[in-house]
Amino acid sequence: MPTETFEFQVEARQLLQLMIHSIYSNKDVFLRELVSNASDALDKLRLAALRDDSLDADVSDLHIELEIDEDARTLTVRDNGIGMSYDEVGQLIGTIANSGTAEFLRELREAKDAAGAEGLIGQFGVGFYSGFMVADEVTLLTRRAGENKGTRWTSRGEGTYTLEETGDVPQGTSITLHLKPADPNNQLHDYTSVWKIKEIVKRYSDFITWPVRLVGQPAGEDDAPAEPETLNSMKALWARSRDEVSEDEYHELYKHISHDWRDPLETIQLQAEGTFEYQALLFVPSHAPHDLFTQDYKRGVQLYVKRVFIMDDCEALLPPYLRFVKGVVDAQDLSLNVSREILQQDRHIRMMQRRLTKKVLSSIKSMLADDAEGYATFWREFGAVLKEGLVTDSDNRDAVLAVSSFATTRGEDETVTLAQYVERMRDGQEDIYYITGQSRQSIDNSPHVEALRERGIEVLLLTDPVDEVWVDAVGEFEGKRLQSIVKGEIDLGAQGDEKSEGEREKQAEEYAGLLDWMKEQLDEDVKQVRLSSRLTVSPACIVADADDMTPALENMYRAMGQEVPRTKRILELNADHQLVKGLNQAYREREDRSDLTETAELLYSLAVLAEGGRPADPARFVKAVADRLERTL
C-alpha cells in the first residue's frame, strides 16, 4: 500500500497548534504521558493473551524501552504491547473522537497557569500529542499483536500526517521524537541527557508495573553499548505500608491513574486479610472533572488480580454515588479471565464493594471531624454526587447522611450537618425545616423564609436537583421530621408568634369573605386561598399541598423531558401587609367588586414571581403593572 497523506481533524489541528506554540513551565510531562500510554498497551496485551489462548503474541518479556540518540537528537519510546492496526492508527492518532475535546480546548485556553494547562493533557486522553511540545517531527511505528503487517505514521504537526503499511515491524509501538534544537541556555530541557530521562522516569513513572529500560547508552572508553538499565522500581504502592511510601509517590500514582494534574484531597489505603484477601489504594480528588454528571463519564477504579491488570474503570467496585473516587484494587482470588458481566454477579466483588464503600465514607467522616478546610473542598466539589447515595443506598444511608452538610439561613459561607442543626434547634421546635430551589439567592430571599428568619429558626437551603428526592427518602433525622416550608401548613404559633389564638381566630373571621371571593376569581390557578403564618414582609406566597410536588421538582422533571400534570396550589396572604389590608377593606366596603379582580390577579402573579416562576400571561401582567404605576404619578 503506497504512502498516503491525510489532513488532521479540525480539533486535532487546533490542539497541535496549542501544543507547539504554547509555553509550558514543565515540558517533562510529555514523557510521563508516553510512558503511561506504553504501560496501558502492555496491560491490554497481557489481558488479551489471558483471554485468548490462540493470540499469536509474545508476552514473555513485556517492557518499555527508552532510547536516546544524541547525534541525531532523537528520543524513542518503545513497547512490545498490544500495538495498533492501520485503521486504528488513523482513528486514534489522526482524529480526536473524544466527546470532551471541545471542553478540553476551552479549558486549555483558559487555564490560569502553565501547570494547569499541562496537566489537562492527560486528563482528556490526548497524551500522545504532547510529544509535539518538544519535537519538530514525530514518527510512530506499530504492529498489532497477532497481525503480520505494521504501520508507519509521520507528522511535523503542521496540519497533515502520512500513513503507510510496512513489513518487518516488531510487535507493539515505537514513537520516535525528532527533538527540537538544543537550547544552550536551558539544559534542564535537554531530552538527550541520560540524567534528565532518569530523573523524569523516577519522578513520574517509578510505580509503573512494567520495567522501563534505558537502552543504547554508551559505557566506558570503548563506547560499547551498556546493558539495558531498568529505571523504575516497579513496586506496587498499594502493597506497601504507609511508612514506606512518601506522599509524593502516592500523588504521582494518583496522577497516573486519573490523568489529573492536581494532588488528591485524600489518600485511602485498605488491606483486607482472611478468607478473601485484597489490597486497595483509593484517592479522593480535589477537583470535580468537567464531565462528572454526563452519561459518558468513566467511573470506577482499576482492578488487578495478583498484580495483573484486569480492567480500567471497574464500576462494580464502588456505587455510582462514589464515582469520583479513583484508585487501584488488587484481589488475590479472582479469576484472571473475569469479565464485566461476571463481576456483577461475583460475591467477592460485592463483598469488596461493601467494604470499600464503608471505608470511603469513614474517611470522609474523619475529614469532617479533623480537616475542616479539606472537608469544605470535598463538599463543594462532590456533595451533590454523594447525596445520590441517600436515595440509592439504603444500607449506607445513615453513614452518607452523617457526612452530608447543607447551607442554611444562618450564614452564607457556613454549612451544617443535620446533627449540628438539631443541636441548635430552638426550644419548642419539632421539625427540621428546609426549602428547595435552583439557587441559594432565590430561596434565601423567598417569602416562605420570612417568618422563620424573624423567629430565629434555621432553614436548610437545598439547591441541588437530588435534594428534591432524598428529603422524601430520608423523611426524618433523630426523630425530627424533615419539613418543607413551601408545602402544607406550618404552625409557628408556639415559636415566637406574638398573636394569641383569639387574635388569630378574629383575623380569620375578618378575612373569610375576601378569601372565598379570591378563590372564585383565581379558580383556574389555585385550589385554596388562606391566611399565612409564614409571611412577615411579603404580601403573598404560593405553597404546595402536603402531598404535592414542589415547583422545583416539577421543573426538574420537565427538564428531563417528562410530562408533569399541572397542579393547582395554595395562595397564602399576609393579613398584616398594607396591600392585603387595603384589598380586604375595599372588598368589605363595595358591592361591585369587578375592579378588584385585577388586584387579586396581580397579587397572585407577584407571589408566582417571588418563588422564581413566571405569570401565565407575562404581557398582560406587565401592562397591568404599568397602568397601576401610571395612575400613581
Side-chain angles (χ1 to χ4, degrees):
M1 182 181 291
T3 301
E4 296 184 86
T5 300
F6 300 89
E7 286 194 357
F8 282 106
Q9 180 194 39
V10 173
E11 289 89 346
R13 276 204 307 274
Q14 293 174 344
L15 179 60
L16 282 168
Q17 293 306 303
L18 281 169
M19 292 288 188
I20 294 167
H21 298 295
S22 295
I23 298 174
Y24 294 91
S25 63
N26 183 9
K27 297 174 186 286
D28 298 353
V29 293
F30 85 90
L31 188 56
R32 177 192 69 188
E33 296 301 323
L34 296 183
V35 170
S36 290
N37 288 350
S39 175
D40 291 343
L42 295 171
D43 288 337
K44 290 175 182 176
L45 177 62
R46 180 66 172 273
L47 185 57
L50 287 169
R51 291 180 172 174
D52 183 2
D53 294 336
S54 65
L55 182 65
D56 182 18
D58 180 10
V59 295
S60 60
D61 180 27
L62 298 181
H63 63 276
I64 301 165
E65 288 183 352
L66 305 179
E67 185 172 2
I68 297 169
D69 186 329
E70 191 171 354
D71 295 331
R73 285 199 58 76
T74 62
L75 172 64
T76 300
V77 181
R78 184 182 300 115
D79 68 73
N80 56 346
I82 193 71
M84 290 178 282
S85 67
Y86 182 92
D87 290 339
E88 286 173 331
V89 173
Q91 292 167 4
L92 299 175
I93 306 298
T95 62
I96 305 177
N98 189 328
S99 61
T101 300
E103 181 73 11
F104 166 74
L105 291 170
R106 183 188 66 77
E107 289 203 23
L108 192 60
R109 293 189 186 101
E110 295 178 0
K112 295 180 180 178
D113 53 46
E118 67 203 17
L120 289 168
I121 293 168
Q123 184 181 349
F124 283 81
V126 291
F128 170 79
Y129 294 91
S130 63
F132 285 97
M133 292 194 297
V134 299
D136 288 327
E137 181 176 294
V138 177
T139 300
L140 178 146
L141 192 62
T142 185
R143 175 171 68 83
R144 186 168 182 82
E147 297 186 358
N148 54 21
K149 286 286 184 71
T151 303
R152 177 180 282 108
W153 178 99
T154 304
S155 177
R156 295 186 63 83
E158 295 174 348
T160 63
Y161 61 92
T162 62
L163 266 181
E164 64 174 316
E165 277 192 352
T166 181
D168 194 25
V169 176
Q171 164 193 302
T173 300
S174 171
I175 299 171
T176 299
L177 306 174
H178 301 267
L179 298 168
K180 295 178 180 181
D183 181 356
N185 298 318
N186 189 356
Q187 296 301 310
L188 291 177
H189 292 309
D190 181 6
Y191 301 109
T192 63
S193 167
V194 170
W195 75 263
K196 181 62 176 177
I197 296 303
K198 289 182 178 181
E199 186 259 335
I200 295 173
V201 172
K202 186 67 178 176
R203 176 155 38 107
Y204 291 123
S205 307
D206 191 55
F207 47 80
I208 296 288
T209 54
W210 307 106
V212 181
R213 299 170 182 162
L214 184 62
V215 300
Q217 55 179 317
E221 296 178 358
D222 57 359
D223 281 346
E227 289 297 312
E229 179 184 357
T230 299
L231 305 182
N232 60 322
S233 69
M234 296 176 288
K235 292 181 179 178
L237 299 188
W238 55 89
R240 298 157 65 185
S241 64
R242 287 295 286 258
D243 57 3
E244 294 180 309
V245 184
S246 69
E247 284 301 305
D248 287 342
E249 288 178 297
Y250 282 133
H251 292 176
E252 289 306 327
L253 175 62
Y254 164 73
K255 293 171 185 177
H256 170 70
I257 293 170
S258 66
H259 301 297
D260 184 4
W261 59 274
R262 307 167 183 87
D263 289 337
L265 191 63
E266 188 77 6
T267 301
I268 304 168
Q269 193 165 18
L270 173 65
Q271 183 155 343
E273 299 177 344
T275 55
F276 180 67
E277 296 184 358
Y278 60 93
Q279 298 153 330
L281 186 59
L282 306 178
F283 301 96
V284 177
S286 59
H287 185 77
H290 74 286
D291 55 350
L292 184 61
F293 289 95
T294 66
Q295 287 186 332
D296 296 333
Y297 180 70
K298 292 183 179 180
R299 67 179 180 87
V301 298
Q302 292 184 351
L303 175 63
Y304 284 72
V305 175
K306 299 174 183 175
R307 308 284 177 88
V308 176
F309 174 79
I310 299 299
M311 68 178 67
D312 267 321
D313 311 315
C314 183
E315 297 180 357
L317 288 169
L318 286 170
Y321 68 90
L322 295 179
R323 59 185 176 271
F324 52 86
V325 174
K326 301 297 181 183
V328 173
V329 175
D330 188 357
Q332 299 303 308
D333 300 321
L334 288 176
S335 166
L336 290 175
N337 202 30
V338 70
S339 67
R340 290 187 184 274
E341 292 73 25
I342 294 173
L343 283 174
Q344 301 299 328
Q345 307 300 325
D346 191 282
R347 67 182 183 86
H348 287 142
I349 290 290
R350 294 198 300 273
M351 182 177 70
M352 283 195 291
Q353 188 200 75
R354 288 195 294 270
R355 181 78 182 277
L356 293 172
T357 299
K358 291 183 183 299
K359 183 65 175 178
V360 172
L361 293 176
S362 173
S363 297
I364 297 171
K365 186 175 183 179
S366 297
M367 197 187 308
L368 172 63
D370 304 327
D371 181 7
E373 185 177 346
Y375 174 80
T377 299
F378 165 79
W379 190 254
R380 182 179 66 248
E381 299 295 328
F382 302 110
V385 184
L386 189 74
K387 284 186 289 186
E388 293 173 10
L390 296 172
V391 182
T392 60
D393 189 354
S394 57
D395 290 340
N396 291 298
R397 181 174 292 159
D398 290 343
V400 175
L401 200 59
V403 297
S404 298
S405 62
F406 315 95
T408 80
T409 51
R410 179 72 68 94
E412 286 194 14
D413 300 323
E414 181 185 8
T415 61
V416 299
T417 63
L418 290 188
Q420 291 168 330
Y421 179 99
V422 169
E423 191 175 305
R424 60 198 200 191
M425 283 172 56
R426 284 176 56 91
D427 291 341
Q429 182 180 342
E430 297 296 330
D431 298 329
I432 297 172
Y433 295 109
Y434 71 88
I435 180 172
T436 59
Q438 293 185 339
S439 70
R440 172 169 184 146
Q441 183 179 9
S442 64
I443 59 178
D444 199 8
N445 296 321
S446 167
H448 301 89
V449 179
E450 292 173 1
L452 290 100
R453 177 179 277 120
E454 185 172 283
R455 291 166 172 79
I457 300 172
E458 194 169 14
V459 180
L460 303 179
L461 307 174
L462 309 180
T463 57
D464 293 316
V466 70
D467 291 330
E468 292 287 349
V469 185
W470 76 257
V471 287
D472 287 332
V474 172
E476 65 173 36
F477 177 77
E478 294 185 358
K480 305 292 185 181
R481 183 176 58 132
L482 291 165
Q483 171 65 50
S484 170
I485 63 171
V486 302
K487 292 176 65 173
E489 293 196 62
I490 297 180
D491 184 8
L492 302 177
Q495 299 175 48
D497 192 349
E498 296 178 357
K499 291 179 184 175
S500 66
E501 186 172 342
E503 288 175 314
R504 288 198 296 272
E505 289 177 356
K506 180 180 179 182
Q507 198 171 57
E509 182 179 340
E510 181 183 349
Y511 280 84
L514 175 66
L515 301 180
D516 291 341
W517 175 81
M518 287 188 67
K519 169 65 174 66
E520 292 177 9
Q521 307 306 307
L522 303 172
D523 189 59
E524 290 187 7
D525 299 305
V526 302
K527 66 171 69 174
Q528 182 184 357
V529 182
R530 67 191 184 201
L531 296 183
S532 178
S533 63
R534 67 190 97 208
L535 296 174
T536 59
V537 177
S538 301
C541 69
I542 301 290
V543 300
D545 228 344
D547 298 323
D548 289 346
M549 284 188 189
T550 63
L553 186 57
E554 289 183 4
N555 292 336
M556 186 173 74
Y557 279 123
R558 291 192 181 101
M560 295 188 299
Q562 297 188 28
E563 289 294 325
V564 179
R566 184 171 180 270
T567 303
K568 288 185 179 182
R569 293 190 291 137
I570 299 166
L571 176 64
E572 288 192 351
L573 302 182
N574 179 4
D576 296 322
H577 194 280
Q578 290 302 318
L579 175 58
V580 177
K581 284 183 176 181
L583 180 60
N584 186 49
Q585 183 176 348
Y587 167 82
R588 297 177 62 145
E589 291 175 353
R590 301 182 192 178
E591 292 188 8
D592 180 8
R593 303 179 179 111
S594 57
D595 61 334
L596 298 180
T597 300
E598 184 182 76
T599 304
E601 292 175 348
L602 282 174
L603 199 56
Y604 170 74
S605 295
L606 289 172
V608 170
L609 283 170
E611 68 166 14
R614 56 179 293 175
D617 188 345
R620 182 182 177 192
F621 171 74
V622 170
K623 184 178 184 304
V625 171
D627 289 345
R628 290 295 177 104
L629 290 173
E630 183 181 356
R631 290 200 292 271
T632 65
L633 297 176

